[in-house]
């Protein structure tokens, strides 16, 4: 208490600090914060008594099941036929699952959570193997529904089962409120030859015995077994209603088909879509449709790949006045951002990994090495130079699928779950979580991280090491209402010895303390209005 009072009295004696520097800026954004960090990993074993290839055969974001503000997630292990659920935790999730489901089917490669009977009761939906081997092999698609308690506990046994009764060739399962009545519809998509979409209406009359409506596709997608059929359900045109976009190869004539949400949808949709986009080399989007909010305006933006020719690269189409999804051509020359490259390969959304406002999604591409390049979003869309990266030399070939997580380790920054069941020899498979925001060495027992409270968060500001010899590291929580804008360091007489502005997209700063005399110093962190967020005393020693 006496030490805190001493710090407070010293701060009160200091002159008011305007946000303009009063000395040369020597507290600088930390350039090392751009490396995406692996904070969690499970991988399969190729041989031996515990061989478990196919880790990451499925994966997905489960949201905050237990209402602790941390994101939970699931990973499937192909060899074991098992889904495993993990809770978010600080400073990193545990690799021991909190819930498992055996005999699951790999025909559904992500978990689904929805409120089908009413808006209060959530269900976890997974697929189950139902193959018969006599007189011949025949498998039909079945879904099982596990109830989730208000505390986030998942029931041990399913309470609802949906049997399609046919060889379904499943391509996707969705839970979403398509008709805006407060409960979720269940949507199943299939593509053995001619694609078909089954809708089960949510509400008190929700029934798994038969779909409420079937929507058939008159175009044959039988080539290649129909595996390239994809479905996106999202508000693609920004009118606050869910739309549906399907895509398929259709025997060498790929196209996207769009049904727009409106009054009465989806029940007034039919087999004739509202728009069809033929996909050829003049078009810069693909199937499946890749989307995110790169410009932070709350409306979806779209990205795609041109694979060959002098115009090969990644094309980004931003939501802009006069550029509605309903009317724009998505031709190459209509793109708002272009990354011409024959070595960039577009991947799914990363989420806002380095944005403390959680507004701007990052664009991701696979490069030669680094293996993953991430481009920050902004009001003008993705930057043309990457701000984050992940090297193939760390863990290679892991970016088969990507699942943004809001925050699974309690530092306030978004994270991303990636998985690849074909990773490494004998298809061992792997699942990894890469953390957004700055690196804080909680995983290094030799480093004592000092955490300062603010805004009700015990880890609002982190500094290390203390005492410091050469370099003081400063990092901050990703969900502060008032983010750091400037920092100062004074000696105990009140003399300003260092200052500097922060970079919100980095989330970390450093002070090179070399050449500064040994003794006690005070770090003060200010917001954009010049108000003190936090302060602490630390020791500089030789």
């Amino acid at each position: 208490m006496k030490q805190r009072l001493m710090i407070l009295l010293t701060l009160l004696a200091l002159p008011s600090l305007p946000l303009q520097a009063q000395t040369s800026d020597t507290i600088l954004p930390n350039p090392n914060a751009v490396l995406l960090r692996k904070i969690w990993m499970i991988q399969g074993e190729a041989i031996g008594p515990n061989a478990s290839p196919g880790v990451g055969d499925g994966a997905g974001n489960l949201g905050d099941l237990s209402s602790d503000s941390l994101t939970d997630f699931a990973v499937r292990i192909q060899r074991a036929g098992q889904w495993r659920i993990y809770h978010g935790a600080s400073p990193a999730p545990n690799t021991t699952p909190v819930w498992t489901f055996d005999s699951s089917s790999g025909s559904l490669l992500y978990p689904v959570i929805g409120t089908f009977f009413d808006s209060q009761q959530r269900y976890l939906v997974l697929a189950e193997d139902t193959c018969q081997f006599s007189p011949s092999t025949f498998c039909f698609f079945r879904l099982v529904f596990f109830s989730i308690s208000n505390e986030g506990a998942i029931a041990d046994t399913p309470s609802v089962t949906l049997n399609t009764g046919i060889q379904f060739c499943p391509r996707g399962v969705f839970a979403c409120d398509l008709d805006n009545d407060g409960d979720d519809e269940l949507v199943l998509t299939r593509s053995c030859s001619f694609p078909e979409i089954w809708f089960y209406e949510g509400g008190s009359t929700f029934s798994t015995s038969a779909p409420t409506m079937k929507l058939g596709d008159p175009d044959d997608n039988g080539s290649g077994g129909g595996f390239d059929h994809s479905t996106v359900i999202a508000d693609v045109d920004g009118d606050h209603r869910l739309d549906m976009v399907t895509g398929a190869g259709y025997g060498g004539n790929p196209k996207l088909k769009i049904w727009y949400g409106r009054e009465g949808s989806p029940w007034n949709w039919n087999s004739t879509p509202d728009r069809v986009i033929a996909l050829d080399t003049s078009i810069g989007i693909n199937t499946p449709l890749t989307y995110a909010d790169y410009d932070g305006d709350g409306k979806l933006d779209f990205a795609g790949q041109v694979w060959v020719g002098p115009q090969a690269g990644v094309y980004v189409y931003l939501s802009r006045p006069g550029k509605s999804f309903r009317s724009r051509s998505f031709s190459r020359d209509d793109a708002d951002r272009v990354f011409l490259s024959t070595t960039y390969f577009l991947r799914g959304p990363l989420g806002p990994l380095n944005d403390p406002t959680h507004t701007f999604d990052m664009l991701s591409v696979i490069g030669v090495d680094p293996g993953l390049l991430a481009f920050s979003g902004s009001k003008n869309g993705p930057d043309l130079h990457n701000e984050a990266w992940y090297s193939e030399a760390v863990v290679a070939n892991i970016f088969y699928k990507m699942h943004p997580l809001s925050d699974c380790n309690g530092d306030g920054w978004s994270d991303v779950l990636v998985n690849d069941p074909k990773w490494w020899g004998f298809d061992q498979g792997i699942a990894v979580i890469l953390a957004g925001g700055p690196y804080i060495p909680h995983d290094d027992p030799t480093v004592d991280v000092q955490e300062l409270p603010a805004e009700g968060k015990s880890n609002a500001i982190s500094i290390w090491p203390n005492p410091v010899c050469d370099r003081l590291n400063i990092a901050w929580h990703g969900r502060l209402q008032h983010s750091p804008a400037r920092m100062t360091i004074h000696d105990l007489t009140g003399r300003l010895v260092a200052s500097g502005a922060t970079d919100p997209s980095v989330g970390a700063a450093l002070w090179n303390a070399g050449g500064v005399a040994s003794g006690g110093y005070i770090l003060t962190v200010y917001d954009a209005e010049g108000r003190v967020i936090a302060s602490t005393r630390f020791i500089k020693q030789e």
Side-chain angles (χ1 to χ4, degrees):
M1 176 64 81
K2 185 176 180 180
Q3 185 185 46
R4 291 181 182 176
L5 179 61
M6 186 175 170
I7 293 173
L8 178 61
L9 291 174
T10 303
L11 284 171
L12 290 174
L14 296 178
S16 175
L17 179 76
L19 291 184
Q20 291 76 25
Q22 294 184 355
T23 186
S24 61
D25 284 358
T26 55
I27 303 176
L28 303 173
N30 187 348
N32 295 323
V34 298
L35 172 62
L36 292 174
R37 299 168 291 105
K38 175 173 63 68
I39 61 169
W40 182 92
M41 180 178 74
I42 58 172
Q43 64 186 69
E45 297 182 27
I47 58 176
N50 298 316
S52 56
V55 167
D57 181 55
N61 182 345
L62 296 175
D64 181 9
L65 286 179
S66 50
S67 302
D68 59 359
S69 299
L70 299 178
T71 305
D72 307 311
F73 57 96
V75 176
R76 186 176 184 273
I77 287 75
Q78 181 182 38
R79 172 68 178 270
Q82 184 182 72
W83 275 101
R84 299 175 183 176
I85 289 180
Y86 303 85
H87 280 169
S90 177
N94 198 299
T95 54
T96 301
V98 298
W99 186 89
T100 59
F101 170 53
D102 295 321
S103 303
S104 67
S105 171
S107 55
L108 177 57
L109 298 182
Y110 52 88
V112 174
I113 290 182
T115 57
F116 305 106
F117 296 94
D118 60 64
S119 60
Q120 304 301 316
Q121 178 60 62
R122 295 175 296 169
Y123 288 89
L124 168 67
V125 182
L126 301 170
E128 188 175 45
D129 281 327
T130 59
C131 293
Q132 304 173 114
F133 301 99
S134 179
S136 61
T137 300
F138 180 81
C139 302
F140 60 86
F141 189 56
R142 179 163 74 187
L143 294 176
V144 287
F145 296 60
F146 297 87
S147 63
I148 304 172
S149 72
N150 292 335
E151 294 74 30
I154 303 171
D156 292 329
T157 57
S159 56
V160 179
T161 301
L162 188 155
N163 290 297
T164 63
I166 63 172
Q167 193 168 358
F168 195 77
C169 305
R171 303 292 173 246
V173 179
F174 305 88
C176 45
D177 186 7
L178 280 167
D179 53 13
N180 287 340
D181 65 354
D183 46 54
D184 289 330
E185 277 64 60
L186 181 70
V187 183
L188 313 184
T189 67
R190 59 187 299 253
S191 180
C192 298
S193 179
F194 290 86
E196 194 172 48
I197 302 176
W198 293 14
F199 299 85
Y200 295 78
E201 185 174 8
S204 58
T205 59
F206 177 78
S207 173
T208 59
S209 59
T212 309
M213 180 180 77
K214 294 183 181 181
L215 192 155
D217 189 331
D219 292 335
D220 188 358
N221 189 45
S223 60
F227 286 103
D228 63 351
H229 186 272
S230 65
T231 301
V232 163
I233 298 179
D235 178 14
V236 297
D237 59 356
D239 66 352
H240 305 293
R241 283 187 173 274
L242 291 177
D243 313 300
M244 183 173 70
V245 182
T246 65
Y250 296 115
N253 298 293
K255 62 190 73 173
L256 294 173
K257 299 185 178 184
I258 303 104
W259 289 261
Y260 294 118
R262 53 182 173 267
E263 188 68 30
S265 63
W267 315 118
N268 54 16
W269 288 345
N270 57 45
S271 59
T272 302
D274 295 301
R275 186 182 182 189
V276 177
I277 302 176
L279 302 176
D280 55 38
T281 56
S282 69
I283 302 296
I285 55 175
N286 318 105
T287 174
L289 185 68
T290 298
Y291 63 93
D293 186 3
Y294 302 121
D295 59 9
D297 64 355
K299 297 181 179 181
L300 294 182
D301 311 303
F302 307 92
Q305 181 99 39
V306 173
W307 300 98
V308 297
Q311 300 301 311
V314 174
Y315 291 73
V316 179
Y317 301 82
L318 303 174
S319 51
R320 288 289 188 268
K323 289 190 172 184
S324 168
F325 184 95
R326 290 181 177 237
S327 57
R328 71 186 304 171
S329 66
F330 293 103
S331 62
R332 293 195 307 260
D333 58 7
D334 186 38
D336 300 286
R337 282 282 187 275
V338 178
F339 301 81
L340 291 179
S341 173
T342 57
T343 60
Y344 280 3
F345 300 98
L346 180 67
R347 280 295 182 266
L350 279 174
L353 282 181
N354 67 342
D355 175 21
T357 69
H358 297 258
T359 301
F360 300 101
D361 288 327
M362 299 189 85
L363 174 76
S364 67
V365 303
I366 296 295
V368 177
D369 193 13
L372 180 78
L373 300 174
F375 301 82
S376 294
S378 71
K379 291 182 179 179
N380 296 315
D383 291 348
L384 294 177
H385 300 283
N386 69 290
E387 283 78 20
W389 57 277
Y390 189 81
S391 176
E392 289 277 304
V394 182
V395 179
N397 304 319
I398 63 175
F399 299 105
Y400 171 68
K401 292 290 185 181
M402 308 173 72
H403 314 271
L405 306 175
S406 294
D407 176 20
C408 72
N409 65 339
D411 62 1
W413 297 87
S414 295
D415 310 305
V416 62
L417 168 67
V418 299
N419 63 291
D420 187 349
K422 300 295 185 181
W423 175 80
W424 210 241
F426 302 99
D427 296 339
Q428 289 175 237
I430 194 169
V432 171
I433 291 178
L434 302 176
Y439 169 65
I440 301 174
H442 293 297
D443 56 346
D444 187 345
T446 67
V447 179
D448 184 16
V449 178
Q450 180 180 348
E451 295 184 333
L452 312 180
E455 298 183 5
K457 298 176 175 62
S458 61
N459 58 342
I461 308 291
S462 301
I463 71 167
W464 70 94
N466 184 11
V468 59
C469 295
D470 301 316
R471 187 173 77 169
L472 181 70
N473 294 276
I474 309 144
W476 51 92
H477 196 281
R479 289 190 183 273
L480 295 178
Q481 184 178 358
H482 303 286
S483 295
R486 192 161 189 84
M487 300 180 184
T488 63
I489 293 175
H490 293 80
D491 64 20
L492 296 184
T493 69
R495 182 177 65 92
L496 179 65
V497 298
S499 65
T502 67
D503 182 347
S505 70
V506 173
L510 60 87
W511 176 50
N512 289 313
V516 178
S518 298
Y521 292 86
I522 297 173
L523 167 72
T524 309
V525 183
Y526 301 85
D527 68 11
E529 303 300 323
R531 293 171 296 218
V532 175
I533 296 174
S535 63
T536 188
R537 180 173 173 173
F538 65 93
I539 301 299
K540 163 64 169 63
Q541 66 182 21
E542 298 298 334

